Amino acid sequence: MGDTSRLCSVWLGSETGILKGVSLSRKQAFNFCNTSHLSRDQEVRALCWGDPAESELLVGSVDGTVKTFSTEKGSFTETRRCGDPADGCFTGLAVLSGSTLVSCVECGTLRVWREDSSEPVKELSAGKNVCRMRQSPVHPHKVATGGKENGLKIWDLETPEKPVFTAKNLRDDWLDLRRPHWVRDMAFIPGTDKVVTCTGYHQVHIFDPSSPQRRPVLEVEYGEYPLTALSLTASGDTVVVGNTHGQIALLDLRKGLVRGCLKGLVGGVRGLQCHPSQPVVASCGLDRFLRIHSLEDRKLQHKVYLKSRLNCLLFSSRDLEEPAGEGGAQEVKEEEEEEGDEVWDSMARVEEKPKRKTTEEEEPQKKKGKKKKKN
Amino acid sequence: MDFTEVPVSQHNKGKKKKNKTPKKKRVSGEGNGDGGGVEPKEEQEEKMEKSEQAATAFPPSFSVSEIKNKQRRHLMFMKFKQEKRKQKLQLKKKKKKEREALGDKAPPKEVPKTIENQRVYDETTVNPEDEEVAFDEGTDEFSSYFNGLTNPKVLITTSDRPRGRTVRFCEQLATVIPNAHVYYRRGLALKRVVPQCIARNFTYVMVINEDRKVPNGLVLCHLPDGPTAHFKVSSVRLRKEMKRRGKEPTEHSPEVILNNFSTRLGHSIGRLFAALFPQDPQFVGRQVATFHNQRDFIFFRFHRYIFKNEKKVGIQELGPRFTLKLRSLQKGTFDSKFGEYEWVLKRHEMDECRRKFQL
């Protein structure tokens, strides 16, 4: 079990409560679930790495529990209760140095938990209807929250009374009507202090806390549908956004232009992430597929069918195409040579032996292989 | 009408012309008194000769499309097609003779290629033993219907100010679907209609959209929080337009047949249709509603059947018939602006391959 989890380079949480790991080098997807009984209560809403070494994953479910999954062992190691289901689902999970966990739920309560106690150490209210909470990669104690009619707020966890930065709504429009705002997702731009957000009214805003202006510094509009997910590329000047129709676009933040669109996604985008070092972006959504596009030529590199609707995803920092290290490496190579064309997408339950698909699947996989070569 | 004689052996301008030219020569030679019919042929010959003389140096590659005159080109093409058809028939006859000659030892007949045969394998095709998909379906929005907890109650309405055909279509649909109620739209917003329906225990809202007095769209919204499907409706035939139809459908609940919904999306849509009808069909009524999916088009038919003996069945078509094509499937009740879509028809991306289907 542990070796399969060590191979996975992309982790996804699904609506059925199953944590899925995908190994792109071996082109296999694995289901990691607690026991053989599943329930919709365990629907995964938030995923984050438990430590910088990426050996542990924190999985937040709808019923308010946060489970820790160890990639070394390949199983769930502990479960913590971090809130009531009545408060709403998790909208963000983050880890401070050590074992402190920061969680945010839909009703706006941001809590800091320590490993030992079951009561939160700190608690603050970030307004109502929070859609997302994100942690700054540079300053781990800074988090940003935003939601429906709840503007962007940047909090410093050491001074939890007041937010460090509260964004002002846009100016009234030409009819003097108040503009509605709905922050769906945000990200901290690595080089500077700025924060980029995407809204449900198909706008992308950049806020600069260091400037005296509390309104957005840059505004870009894309499409006609709410933007649901956002991710910054490693270079920091392009942002990838996805909307409810499955349209994913690359926007340039310097001037505010659309660089290009990534095709292929059919359902609403729920999770988007750019790889930390390679120019690829992974997208998952309601159409039950994980797609990996390359950022340079905007072509689809990998497409994996995962049978449930996917809610969130995480990249591991290692190279995507890296072959499996240690232990099972030789076995893997032998298997690959035997099969010739890759065994694409053989879903395997971790509890039982991984099943190989029957020969009738081989032909379509060959066709898939051909399609891939064209790309 | 003079024409120079050119030896037949030089007439090899591609295989299309080989058979034609000597015949034409003969015909034009004989039929001097034909008049108009002959002249174009002669002119063609003259042209051929000219081009021949010019092209004797290198291998000829003349094709019908190079003739600039439309009428002549058309004639040549017709001739070419007739030739081809003739050759095809000759080939068939030959093969048939060979088959009969061989008798039992003849090789089996080849299966013709159809688009359904050549369909690109869809990786989302549901495997019946798959546990994850079974769990997903067992706990989705239709689970309360399939577990027998709720009975369907359908509200049928139209877009604002419907015209004759649409109104009659709605009435006929209401006879086909048991426990269906038709309401006049009165210009109400759907987003406001939906919570009122939920309060009155409806399980489905069907909105038939009309364009230029003809129904052309269907929005099917499953109620408490279920998916909303938007279809394009075409080929609506009302009851009086049906040939050899039976009497009016009775109040018995029909059986439901869902054909060919094989992919995961197909399964969702199939369940959407199945949940429109009550779970226990009344076989006394001998009525059956069929949703047949072929090439992403869903054909709806309503029949009454009778078993004459064990092997023979007679069917009468009652009820309206129409064709649906799925345009989008949205998670949640009707909210076209801010809702999340599970599947959207993107014509330019999906219709590129003729052999790839989504349902």
Side-chain angles (χ1 to χ4, degrees):
Chain A
M1 275 204 261
D3 48 353
T4 48
S5 59
R6 256 172 266 147
L7 297 172
C8 298
S9 42
V10 189
W11 296 90
L12 300 112
S14 67
E15 272 194 5
T16 45
I18 306 177
L19 176 69
K20 292 175 190 271
V22 176
S23 153
L24 292 164
S25 49
R26 285 183 66 183
K27 295 193 177 55
Q28 276 186 313
F30 303 100
N31 283 348
F32 299 99
C33 36
N34 222 344
T35 42
S36 28
H37 74 267
L38 306 159
S39 85
R40 289 262 160 165
D41 275 345
Q42 305 282 325
E43 181 184 333
V44 176
R45 278 286 173 142
L47 271 184
C48 80
W49 286 112
D51 57 343
E54 296 183 355
S55 66
E56 280 190 348
L57 264 173
L58 294 171
V59 177
S61 325
V62 160
D63 57 356
T65 53
V66 174
K67 294 194 274 262
T68 317
F69 179 83
S70 153
T71 46
E72 306 289 317
K73 292 180 220 153
S75 60
F76 289 94
T77 45
E78 59 171 303
T79 315
R80 268 197 270 200
R81 266 221 78 83
C82 293
D84 295 314
D87 282 345
C89 321
F90 282 111
T91 55
L93 271 184
V95 168
L96 289 180
S97 56
S99 54
T100 19
L101 175 68
V102 184
S103 73
C104 181
V105 284
E106 257 180 4
C107 70
T109 331
L110 227 167
R111 295 190 179 103
V112 181
W113 306 82
R114 230 179 247 294
E115 176 112 40
D116 32 9
S117 68
S118 62
E119 284 299 315
V121 171
K122 275 185 228 175
E123 195 170 312
L124 55 90
S125 173
K128 284 195 293 188
N129 294 330
V130 170
C131 280
R132 197 69 80 146
M133 175 201 79
R134 286 253 196 250
Q135 185 190 39
S136 163
V138 177
H139 310 281
H141 52 93
K142 273 204 176 153
V143 292
T145 58
K148 186 154 187 153
E149 297 303 328
N150 183 350
L152 174 75
K153 294 186 175 72
I154 303 186
W155 303 85
D156 189 343
L157 290 171
E158 278 144 27
T159 53
E161 290 82 41
K162 241 174 53 104
V164 170
F165 174 77
T166 321
K168 225 175 172 183
N169 195 2
L170 295 164
R171 285 217 146 87
D172 292 345
D173 61 10
W174 60 290
L175 289 171
D176 282 344
L177 293 170
R178 184 187 164 271
R179 289 260 199 110
H181 68 299
W182 180 9
V183 175
R184 289 294 286 254
D185 201 355
M186 72 281 289
F188 283 85
I189 301 184
T192 65
D193 230 353
K194 298 190 199 164
V195 179
V196 58
T197 61
C198 72
T199 67
Y201 299 104
H202 47 87
Q203 300 148 331
V204 174
H205 292 141
I206 299 189
F207 292 91
D208 195 351
S210 54
S211 78
Q213 184 181 338
R214 279 167 60 207
R215 291 215 162 100
V217 168
L218 182 70
E219 177 177 345
V220 186
E221 294 223 355
Y222 171 68
E224 312 156 339
Y225 300 101
L227 300 171
T228 47
L230 172 94
S231 172
L232 274 172
T233 55
S235 51
D237 57 357
T238 330
V239 73
V240 189
V241 289
N243 69 8
T244 54
H245 258 229
Q247 295 159 348
I248 306 180
L250 298 171
L251 303 173
D252 186 306
L253 290 176
R254 292 173 292 193
K255 253 202 143 176
L257 298 171
V258 179
R259 271 270 173 84
C261 295
L262 303 177
K263 287 207 178 157
L265 217 67
V266 216
V269 179
R270 281 265 174 105
L272 259 188
Q273 193 179 356
C274 292
H275 195 268
S277 46
Q278 288 177 303
V280 288
V281 59
S283 54
C284 75
L286 293 176
D287 62 344
R288 304 179 170 94
F289 272 95
L290 163 71
R291 283 181 176 84
I292 305 227
H293 292 263
S294 130
L295 279 171
E296 290 147 7
D297 53 355
R298 284 180 259 131
K299 289 221 164 57
L300 182 66
Q301 284 182 346
H302 299 102
K303 187 168 97 156
V304 184
Y305 176 56
L306 302 161
K307 298 162 192 168
S308 329
R309 293 185 207 137
L310 305 161
N311 262 336
C312 38
L313 70 92
L314 258 193
F315 257 127
S316 75
S317 315
R318 23 186 268 230
D319 272 347
L320 288 180
E321 301 294 330
E322 200 185 274
E326 323 112 9
Q330 284 166 349
E331 283 176 59
V332 169
K333 280 176 196 160
E334 278 172 11
E335 278 165 15
E336 282 181 356
E337 279 163 44
E338 273 173 11
E339 312 227 353
D341 267 348
E342 309 91 357
V343 175
W344 182 272
D345 239 355
S346 83
M347 298 293 290
R349 284 248 162 181
V350 185
E351 292 127 4
E352 309 154 33
K353 267 196 289 185
K355 290 178 197 158
R356 292 272 167 260
K357 289 229 154 161
T358 53
T359 41
E360 60 186 311
E361 305 274 15
E362 288 286 337
E363 289 159 27
Q365 285 149 21
K366 279 178 195 160
K367 275 187 197 166
K368 269 244 177 65
K370 281 178 200 160
K371 274 188 194 163
K372 255 206 73 197
K373 279 166 200 165
K374 270 188 209 167
N375 286 338
Chain B
M1 282 195 284
D2 26 33
F3 44 93
T4 52
E5 275 211 11
V6 182
V8 185
S9 56
Q10 282 187 4
H11 286 221
N12 29 357
K13 305 247 173 200
K15 46 184 184 167
K16 308 160 198 170
K17 303 274 257 155
K18 263 186 205 160
N19 301 326
K20 290 171 208 151
T21 43
K23 280 186 222 155
K24 258 190 262 117
K25 287 218 139 234
R26 272 179 261 134
V27 167
S28 38
E30 288 162 11
N32 276 339
D34 269 21
V38 187
E39 277 193 14
K41 290 177 195 164
E42 286 175 54
E43 285 163 355
Q44 282 165 4
E45 282 161 24
E46 284 176 340
K47 196 186 179 268
M48 271 178 348
E49 288 149 26
K50 282 180 205 158
S51 44
E52 261 182 351
Q53 282 154 13
T56 40
F58 47 90
S61 52
F62 184 88
S63 79
V64 189
S65 54
E66 280 175 29
I67 305 177
K68 296 299 180 184
N69 185 326
K70 192 166 178 177
Q71 277 184 334
R72 277 187 228 160
R73 190 168 65 231
H74 183 66
L75 274 169
M76 293 298 285
F77 186 64
M78 291 319 229
K79 286 211 175 70
F80 166 59
K81 287 292 252 187
Q82 281 166 8
E83 262 314 301
K84 240 185 143 181
R85 217 175 296 150
K86 231 187 188 177
Q87 282 175 2
K88 198 172 164 187
L89 275 173
Q90 284 172 355
L91 198 65
K92 259 195 184 171
K93 266 194 184 167
K94 212 172 71 170
K95 274 199 174 162
K96 200 174 171 192
K97 268 193 188 165
E98 282 175 18
R99 262 203 110 94
E100 283 169 16
L102 283 177
D104 279 336
K105 289 177 267 172
K109 274 194 173 174
E110 291 160 40
V111 179
K113 285 193 203 174
T114 60
I115 292 190
E116 284 85 9
N117 279 349
Q118 307 292 96
R119 179 177 176 173
V120 167
Y121 173 73
D122 198 336
E123 52 187 345
T124 57
T125 310
V126 175
N127 187 358
E129 294 120 35
D130 200 325
E131 293 173 1
E132 188 177 343
V133 176
F135 171 73
D136 200 12
E137 292 196 337
T139 52
D140 69 356
E141 294 103 352
F142 301 106
S143 54
S144 65
Y145 165 80
F146 283 101
N147 292 334
L149 299 168
T150 50
N151 281 325
K153 190 173 172 193
V154 183
L155 175 87
I156 305 183
T157 183
T158 62
S159 54
D160 203 18
R161 292 180 58 78
R163 289 314 187 202
R165 238 181 120 80
T166 315
V167 169
R168 273 176 274 144
F169 181 50
C170 288
E171 286 164 19
Q172 291 183 8
L173 264 183
T175 55
V176 163
I177 303 175
N179 207 3
H181 308 265
V182 181
Y183 281 87
Y184 181 57
R185 179 76 179 271
R186 290 199 88 194
L188 302 165
L190 261 189
K191 279 205 210 173
R192 301 246 178 98
V193 168
V194 163
Q196 293 200 12
C197 286
I198 299 178
R200 289 173 173 79
N201 281 328
F202 276 93
T203 54
Y204 264 101
V205 174
M206 251 172 109
V207 183
I208 306 210
N209 189 55
E210 183 200 6
D211 181 47
R212 304 187 75 178
K213 304 179 194 169
V214 144
N216 75 342
L218 174 70
V219 172
L220 193 56
C221 184
H222 181 79
L223 274 184
D225 47 357
T228 308
H230 176 41
F231 296 95
K232 174 175 92 154
V233 172
S234 45
S235 285
V236 175
R237 300 279 172 265
L238 299 175
R239 212 166 270 148
K240 65 178 190 175
E241 292 156 15
M242 302 258 176
K243 293 185 180 171
R244 294 180 287 273
R245 69 181 145 96
K247 292 190 183 160
E248 303 286 314
T250 58
E251 296 286 321
H252 299 106
S253 334
E255 298 167 52
V256 181
I257 296 182
L258 299 163
N259 272 344
N260 217 359
F261 289 95
S262 54
T263 64
R264 185 71 187 80
L265 179 69
H267 263 237
S268 311
I269 301 289
R271 285 162 75 82
L272 193 78
F273 288 130
L276 268 175
F277 296 91
Q279 277 240 323
D280 322 306
Q282 291 168 308
F283 297 102
V284 182
R286 286 184 282 121
Q287 286 173 143
V288 58
T290 311
F291 290 91
H292 176 88
N293 170 37
Q294 189 156 347
R295 299 192 194 181
D296 282 353
F297 284 91
I298 302 170
F299 300 93
F300 173 80
R301 301 284 182 270
F302 194 73
H303 295 277
R304 181 178 285 137
Y305 61 89
I306 180 159
F307 278 100
K308 292 179 193 162
N309 55 35
E310 278 213 2
K311 304 241 171 134
K312 281 176 98 175
V313 188
I315 53 172
Q316 278 181 340
E317 187 163 2
L318 333 165
R321 63 155 82 152
F322 52 92
T323 321
L324 298 170
K325 185 161 189 195
L326 181 69
R327 280 170 80 176
S328 66
L329 179 65
Q330 184 211 327
K331 186 171 187 236
T333 55
F334 181 75
D335 188 349
S336 58
K337 253 172 100 177
F338 299 114
E340 276 192 312
Y341 284 84
E342 213 182 295
W343 188 85
V344 175
L345 175 71
K346 294 191 177 173
R347 227 168 44 100
H348 294 284
E349 289 177 32
M350 293 176 192
D351 283 359
E352 272 181 339
C353 178
R354 289 182 122 189
R355 293 167 286 128
K356 190 164 173 57
F357 305 112
Q358 321 288 332
L359 280 183

